[in-house]
Amino acid sequence: MNQNIDNLEKTQLIKIPETLQVFWCKRKKIIIIKGHLEQKSLKVPSLLTLHILKHEIEVVTDISEKLSNHNKKKIKSLLKTTHSLIQQLLIEVLTPVYKKIKLVGVGYRVLPVEEFNNQLLILRLGYSHPIYFKIPTQINTSCLKSTQLFVYGRSYRQVTFTLSQIRLNKIPEPYKGKGILYDNEKVLLKEGKKI
């Protein structure tokens, strides 16, 4: 590394649990993480490289020349993004990802359709008609109460994307707080008109 990039964070460390196996292909710049549930891979950007130590993964920059401030920011963001993506893969390989949403409002209900193996949901959200939502095949749902829905799967991106698509049908409104909310979400209520 050169002294000109001393402001740049050069490494990020990630701890590896003992139950996982990590493989790194330097030529193709692909990391493969294998756990007891499944195996996942990630392509690392060309400006970065990985060093796999005994129980740690070190994400390192591959730059030795002088950089502008703009390029330093780009590399720093790449470094941190790759770090968080690898951490996400570690979590996905170890455990399934769970998320919960709740329906707040009079008459708001979610009903799974048994004939479609709970892959089709009927949403009653105060409209004059029900809304049908098809769940992707990699995602599972369970509904303990008619106002709560648990969504789980192997991929964090797919679970959060499915939840955001369901939530788009009735985003919480700021005056009464009615709508589809994430489990830990709180809506800041606005004050209505005064007469």
Side-chain angles (χ1 to χ4, degrees), residues 95-110:
T95 60
V97 180
Y98 287 88
K99 291 283 183 180
K100 177 179 157 187
I101 56 173
K102 56 186 176 181
L103 284 73
V104 177
V106 177
Y108 287 19
R109 301 281 180 264
V110 60

Side-chain angles (χ1 to χ4, degrees), residues 24 37 39 58 60 63 73 82 95 114 117 140 164-165 167 172 180-181:
W24 166 243
L37 288 177
Q39 160 181 316
E58 188 178 24
V60 184
I63 290 132
K73 285 181 184 178
T82 306
T95 60
E114 298 289 328
N117 296 330
N140 298 316
S164 67
Q165 292 298 313
R167 191 171 183 268
I180 300 175
L181 284 78

Side-chain angles (χ1 to χ4, degrees), residues 149-164:
L149 180 70
F150 291 91
V151 179
Y152 55 97
R154 298 267 185 240
S155 172
Y156 181 80
R157 284 184 186 171
Q158 287 180 337
V159 169
T160 53
F161 179 74
T162 303
L163 279 179
S164 67

Side-chain angles (χ1 to χ4, degrees), residues 43-83:
K43 179 128 176 68
V44 178
S46 60
L47 296 173
L48 304 177
T49 189
L50 299 180
H51 298 298
I52 297 179
L53 309 171
K54 197 168 191 177
H55 293 293
E56 287 180 335
I57 300 172
E58 188 178 24
V59 185
V60 184
T61 58
D62 266 352
I63 290 132
S64 59
E65 72 264 5
K66 206 175 206 181
L67 293 173
S68 66
N69 284 338
H70 179 68
N71 287 341
K72 282 183 190 177
K73 285 181 184 178
K74 272 187 176 180
I75 291 170
K76 190 173 182 179
S77 68
L78 259 179
L79 191 69
K80 291 188 176 186
T81 302
T82 306
H83 176 265

Side-chain angles (χ1 to χ4, degrees), residues 21-193:
Q21 293 178 333
V22 179
F23 305 102
W24 166 243
C25 178
K26 285 183 183 178
R27 194 173 46 108
K28 294 184 180 179
K29 293 217 173 211
I30 294 176
I31 183 170
I32 300 169
I33 300 172
K34 190 174 184 180
H36 62 280
L37 288 177
E38 65 180 315
Q39 160 181 316
K40 294 210 171 203
S41 63
L42 176 72
K43 179 128 176 68
V44 178
S46 60
L47 296 173
L48 304 177
T49 189
L50 299 180
H51 298 298
I52 297 179
L53 309 171
K54 197 168 191 177
H55 293 293
E56 287 180 335
I57 300 172
E58 188 178 24
V59 185
V60 184
T61 58
D62 266 352
I63 290 132
S64 59
E65 72 264 5
K66 206 175 206 181
L67 293 173
S68 66
N69 284 338
H70 179 68
N71 287 341
K72 282 183 190 177
K73 285 181 184 178
K74 272 187 176 180
I75 291 170
K76 190 173 182 179
S77 68
L78 259 179
L79 191 69
K80 291 188 176 186
T81 302
T82 306
H83 176 265
S84 63
L85 285 174
I86 292 172
Q87 278 186 330
Q88 206 174 69
L89 282 184
L90 289 173
I91 292 169
E92 288 174 4
V93 165
L94 286 173
T95 60
V97 180
Y98 287 88
K99 291 283 183 180
K100 177 179 157 187
I101 56 173
K102 56 186 176 181
L103 284 73
V104 177
V106 177
Y108 287 19
R109 301 281 180 264
V110 60
L111 307 165
V113 179
E114 298 289 328
E115 290 113 29
F116 292 97
N117 296 330
N118 294 339
Q119 293 297 104
L120 183 70
L121 299 175
I122 299 174
L123 301 169
R124 298 194 184 274
L125 300 172
Y127 298 122
S128 61
H129 55 85
I131 296 171
Y132 296 95
F133 187 84
K134 187 177 182 318
I135 302 291
T137 55
Q138 301 88 2
I139 303 295
N140 298 316
T141 60
S142 67
C143 190
L144 300 176
K145 293 182 182 176
S146 61
T147 58
Q148 291 180 343
L149 180 70
F150 291 91
V151 179
Y152 55 97
R154 298 267 185 240
S155 172
Y156 181 80
R157 284 184 186 171
Q158 287 180 337
V159 169
T160 53
F161 179 74
T162 303
L163 279 179
S164 67
Q165 292 298 313
I166 293 172
R167 191 171 183 268
L168 281 176
N169 291 308
K170 193 76 170 183
I171 295 173
E173 51 98 9
Y175 293 103
K176 291 184 180 177
K178 298 193 308 185
I180 300 175
L181 284 78
Y182 295 116
D183 184 38
N184 55 359
E185 182 180 10
K186 290 194 167 80
V187 179
L188 293 171
L189 297 179
K190 290 181 179 178
E191 197 174 313
K193 287 184 180 177

